[in-house]
Amino acid sequence: MQGRTRLTDVAEQAGVSTATVSRVLNGKPGVAGETRRAVLAALDMLGYERPEKLRSRSNGLVGLVVPELSNPVFPAFAQSIETMLATTGYTPLLCTQSPGGITEDQYVDMLLEHEVDGIIFVSGLHADTHADPARYQRLQERGVPIALINGHNPEIDAPAFSTDDRGSMDLAVRHLVSQGHRTIGLAIGPDRFVPARRKRDGFVEAMRNYLDVSDPAIVSTLFTVEGGLSAGTSLIDLGCTAIICGSDLMALGVVRATRARGLRVPEDLSVVGYDDSALIPFTDPPLTTIRQPVEAMCQAAVTTLVAEIGGSRVPRTELVFVPELIVRGSTAAAPGNAVGLAI
């Protein structure tokens, strides 16, 4: 990394001066932590090896257990958590599940063999109301700090961080009602999972509040494109002019179901997703969706876990994060309604 061109490349990528890059590479003081991380990220993105002096010794290992990576929101969580762990000096050990593969319990056993200092679970068995919470209690009895993301269980004495699923449905329903929609359906995952149950409850409450509908159309299926295709077909048959989905993948399945019927999105059917993962703005049409505050949730989870690893007693309550409605091209005025209601 001696050449002027390389320094210029890194500086341009990081948005700093070449002098700042030089200071970071030579381990000089006087560089803000955020700036230093930007330079290191630029090095990694451009494919340069970090100088030996920048390869700091790890403070320890932290396990990160996430579901399968076919849903792009989970790689987003994993990447954010791994980056934040690295900035605290901890090395993440990523464990990804897949149907028929290694189970969460097997991964935990492997992590314990590696003597991890703590474990972060994203949408794990803690979110499944049918699963035994004792597995997490045993971890804590062994003195292993844990943090849970999306799926609070009051029987587990651990810090939890969740998106406001109930509130997200209020955002989506209110948006669609303002567009003149009256027959709105929900495509959601299995009710055994806490986030799905909360979304269902929030949807029912919002439909009652805004449209005085006490028994709205709801189809439970899988959080996949195929699940969305199946649910979309059923909800279209029920006469829905708008469908809210429990994930972006489900929403893409609903779009596919709509086109299979010779209908158009959003002219004939409005579709709302959930997550706002990286590629969703580039779908056809760009998907209106509920954005999970992934970075904020991950920052809170990592900060809390590292504090507990360090010996601090952290709050055991659930911290709920406010989602954001991102309006794009998959929602529009209901058929026959040029103007919606202002609510």
Side-chain angles (χ1 to χ4, degrees):
M1 182 64 67
Q2 300 301 321
R4 178 70 179 174
T5 303
R6 289 187 172 186
L7 282 177
T8 303
D9 290 344
V10 176
E12 182 178 348
Q13 179 68 34
V16 300
S17 68
T18 55
T20 298
V21 173
S22 180
R23 294 186 69 84
V24 172
L25 296 181
N26 289 296
K28 298 289 183 63
V31 180
E34 185 176 343
T35 302
R36 182 178 180 276
R37 288 192 293 272
V39 172
L40 295 179
L43 281 174
D44 296 340
M45 292 179 67
L46 293 172
Y48 295 137
E49 290 189 20
R50 297 185 185 184
E52 187 68 34
K53 65 180 69 175
L54 297 182
R55 301 174 193 172
S56 57
R57 186 176 180 275
S58 172
N59 289 335
L61 302 175
V62 171
L64 171 56
V65 183
V66 301
E68 37 73 33
L69 299 181
S70 57
N71 185 333
V73 74
F74 295 127
F77 272 108
Q79 182 174 357
S80 185
I81 292 171
E82 288 185 327
T83 299
M84 292 170 186
L85 281 172
T87 62
T88 65
Y90 284 90
T91 300
L93 293 181
L94 178 61
C95 303
T96 61
Q97 303 172 70
S98 60
I102 299 174
T103 66
E104 180 179 308
D105 290 336
Q106 290 173 321
Y107 271 131
V108 168
D109 289 339
M110 294 166 56
L111 292 171
L112 293 176
E113 289 176 7
H114 283 82
E115 298 182 343
V116 295
D117 294 288
I119 304 175
I120 297 176
F121 295 90
V122 179
S123 299
L125 291 173
H126 62 275
D128 187 344
T129 58
H130 292 184
D132 186 358
R135 53 175 47 86
Y136 301 103
Q137 296 160 359
R138 287 193 292 269
L139 275 175
Q140 292 169 311
E141 289 169 2
R142 296 185 58 161
V144 180
I146 63 175
L148 311 176
I149 293 180
N150 277 342
H152 176 58
N153 186 328
E155 295 184 41
I156 303 173
D157 183 31
F161 308 88
S162 306
T163 301
D164 183 1
D165 293 299
R166 292 181 68 106
S168 70
M169 293 298 101
D170 186 273
L171 289 174
V173 171
R174 185 169 55 185
H175 168 63
L176 292 170
V177 171
S178 74
Q179 296 289 307
H181 293 276
R182 297 294 175 269
T183 309
I184 303 170
L186 176 67
I188 192 64
D191 196 50
R192 63 189 289 175
F193 297 109
V194 172
R197 182 172 297 181
R198 288 177 170 180
K199 289 183 182 73
R200 174 191 286 264
D201 291 345
F203 176 72
V204 171
E205 181 179 6
M207 290 293 287
R208 182 171 57 246
N209 289 343
Y210 294 120
L211 295 174
D212 197 25
V213 173
S214 58
D215 187 24
I218 301 175
V219 174
S220 292
T221 178
L222 300 178
F223 284 112
T224 61
V225 172
E226 293 77 16
L229 177 61
S230 173
T233 300
S234 298
L235 291 169
I236 290 170
D237 286 343
L238 291 174
C240 292
T241 63
I243 298 175
I244 302 169
C245 303
S247 75
D248 288 336
L249 289 183
M250 296 180 78
L252 296 180
V254 170
V255 172
R256 184 179 297 179
T258 306
R259 289 174 176 164
R261 289 295 181 88
L263 302 174
R264 299 164 300 165
V265 175
E267 292 84 355
D268 301 307
L269 182 80
S270 286
V271 181
V272 179
Y274 189 97
D275 287 331
D276 195 33
S277 41
L279 296 178
I280 290 305
F282 306 102
T283 58
D284 180 25
L287 190 65
T288 293
T289 187
I290 300 293
R291 175 181 292 167
Q292 290 203 66
V294 172
E295 288 196 14
M297 294 170 67
C298 293
Q299 182 69 67
V302 169
T303 301
T304 300
L305 186 73
V306 169
E308 184 151 359
I309 291 172
S312 299
R313 173 70 180 180
V314 300
R316 292 303 200 263
T317 55
E318 180 186 23
L319 191 59
V320 178
F321 290 76
V322 178
E324 182 181 1
L325 175 70
I326 307 299
V327 179
R328 300 194 181 101
S330 68
T331 53
N337 284 270
V339 180
L341 296 179
I343 60 173

